[in-house]
Amino acid sequence: MQIVGYDTGVGDDWEPALKLATAEGLDRLSLAPGTDLAYTLEDRHCAGTISDGTHEACPTPTVPYCDAHTSRWACARCVGNCNRPLPSCREEHAVYLAAFAPATFKVGVTRSWRLDTRLREQGADRAAHLRTVVDGRIARQVEADIAREVGDRVRVPTKIEGLHRDVDERAWQSLLAGYDPNETYDFDYGFTLADRPVAETLLTGTVRGTQGRVLVLDNGGTTFAVDMRDLVGYDLSTGGTDRELQASLGAF
């Protein structure tokens, strides 16, 4: 079986899970808190594509997807100088700020009805809804302007570095003071960490929880943080990994 995708457990997804392609068809591997996982990551190759509930396999070694199976989002780098090419571009959009502990911030946009979902998908610790605009083009223009000061991307390793931290309240409030937000958010993902987790790619341990696309596992006295995108494409075998893993100081 192969990992061919993941659900973060927000929005329409009732729980976080990995999407699996098996000999019997598509399946889901629950990542609900408390779930015990014992799988070894084997070879990794393109995760192929899923269409109408059927998985199309691909042997290409490019991961997680080859060029033929890479989905390219037209709006990824849009700054509002387009002609609104997608139907979603004409929907009402929200402009927001997101905070990742302890003091990493970004600006973003999403369709208004997806605001809470989008923030949780990213694993934001705090957020602020700045304004609502009539379409995606205007939203991108506002975003591009704010991004010159705040930035519009946060890498997953940066998010992992702060998983055990709280948001710097002074820095967050100082940022918000210049924007007069409509509403603010404080997210709880159902787990707390005393120490920084060890970044690793594995699927053996007990699920502590998920925050965005980061899976938090306890294994052998150490807490690990796994970017679920880094799992996509791996073939799995049952039975926990016997690979030597880095241990945190708390394991001794």
Side-chain angles (χ1 to χ4, degrees):
M1 55 186 166
Q2 183 189 25
I3 301 172
V4 295
Y6 59 87
D7 289 327
T8 58
V10 298
D12 294 332
D13 306 323
W14 67 277
E15 67 175 17
L18 294 175
K19 299 178 181 179
L20 303 181
T22 72
E24 291 74 34
L26 290 173
D27 200 358
R28 290 169 61 89
L29 176 62
S30 172
L31 300 177
T35 301
D36 290 323
L37 303 172
Y39 297 92
T40 297
L41 305 178
E42 304 290 357
D43 294 335
R44 193 181 187 202
H45 54 94
C46 173
T49 187
I50 297 173
S51 178
D52 295 327
T54 300
H55 176 247
E56 177 187 323
C58 177
T60 305
T62 306
V63 294
Y65 300 99
C66 67
D67 286 343
H69 294 118
T70 296
S71 176
R72 292 176 173 82
W73 184 35
C75 300
R77 303 311 303 160
C78 175
V79 293
N81 56 357
C82 63
N83 62 352
R84 302 183 300 172
L86 304 177
S88 59
C89 299
R90 295 171 172 79
E91 294 184 44
E92 181 183 86
H93 277 61
V95 182
Y96 63 83
L97 292 173
F100 303 86
T104 300
F105 310 119
K106 71 175 287 285
V107 63
V109 304
T110 188
R111 286 172 288 174
S112 295
W113 61 270
R114 290 197 82 250
L115 179 57
D116 183 87
T117 296
R118 181 60 184 143
L119 292 167
R120 290 179 180 274
E121 286 174 343
Q122 296 178 77
D125 293 298
R126 301 275 193 92
H129 175 196
L130 300 185
R131 57 186 292 191
T132 300
V133 295
V134 296
D135 61 33
R137 180 168 59 191
I138 295 174
R140 289 296 184 182
Q141 292 169 350
V142 174
E143 178 190 40
D145 184 53
I146 296 174
R148 286 196 288 266
E149 299 294 330
V150 180
D152 59 3
R153 287 190 174 185
V154 180
R155 298 175 62 247
V156 170
T158 300
K159 297 176 184 180
I160 290 175
E161 289 174 3
L163 279 181
H164 65 302
R165 305 279 298 276
D166 293 325
V167 173
D168 183 324
E169 189 68 30
R170 180 175 297 181
W172 178 234
Q173 293 302 326
S174 176
L175 176 64
L176 294 187
Y179 292 98
D180 188 25
N182 294 329
E183 186 177 6
T184 58
Y185 303 79
D186 188 350
F187 295 108
D188 180 0
Y189 295 92
F191 65 92
T192 58
L193 299 173
D195 301 297
R196 175 179 169 179
V198 177
E200 184 56 274
T201 304
L202 79 162
L203 201 56
T204 299
T206 301
V207 177
R208 178 80 70 91
T210 56
Q211 184 165 337
R213 76 184 208 203
V214 177
L215 167 65
V216 180
L217 293 173
D218 291 327
N219 180 316
T222 294
T223 300
F224 295 94
V226 184
D227 183 348
M228 288 191 278
R229 182 174 170 81
D230 289 343
L231 295 173
V232 174
Y234 273 107
D235 293 323
L236 295 182
S237 61
T238 56
T241 182
D242 58 2
R243 176 167 56 90
E244 185 174 341
L245 300 171
Q246 178 183 342
S248 67
L249 293 177
F252 298 98

